[in-house]
């Protein structure tokens, strides 16, 4: 996502308790979405290509994953805590 403060339709975080996912919140804007699939051990990875461009140095990348898990909540999802990274440092 591009933001950890706002999303289309309002501010972040968005608690998902009322939708049937207690203790889950949307922490990152939903302007970028990427489906992932887990291996049999439950691990999922995503590769992100970053161009070799000095303009990108120091740019922030934030992310969060939502996992389809029918037994986790009434909504059938679980969420990770968000993560923040920066390019080149």
């Amino acid at each position: 996502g591009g933001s950890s403060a706002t999303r289309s339709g309002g501010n972040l975080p968005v608690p998902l308790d009322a939708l049937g996912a207690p203790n889950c919140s949307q922490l990152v804007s939903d302007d970028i979405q990427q489906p992932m699939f887990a291996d049999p051990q439950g691990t999922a990875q995503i590769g992100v290509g970053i161009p070799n461009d000095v303009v990108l140095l120091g740019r922030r990348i934030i992310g969060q994953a939502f996992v389809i898990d029918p037994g986790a909540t009434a909504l059938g999802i679980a969420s990770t805590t968000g993560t923040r990274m920066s390019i080149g440092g």
Side-chain angles (χ1 to χ4, degrees):
S3 176
S4 60
T6 60
R7 65 179 179 91
S8 58
N11 293 325
L12 292 169
V14 177
L16 302 178
D17 302 74
L19 298 175
N23 301 316
C24 293
S25 293
Q26 178 184 350
L27 304 173
V28 177
S29 62
D30 52 7
D31 50 339
I32 301 171
Q33 299 178 20
Q34 176 65 47
M36 300 185 306
F37 299 94
D39 64 22
Q41 290 73 39
T43 301
Q45 297 181 14
I46 183 169
V48 178
I50 301 173
N52 186 15
D53 189 335
V54 70
V55 173
L56 298 174
L57 285 174
R59 293 291 302 251
R60 182 180 67 166
I61 301 170
I62 55 177
Q64 179 180 23
F66 286 88
V67 180
I68 297 171
D69 187 349
T73 63
L75 185 59
I77 66 162
S79 65
T80 66
T81 57
T83 186
R84 294 176 189 262
M85 301 160 272
S86 65
I87 298 173

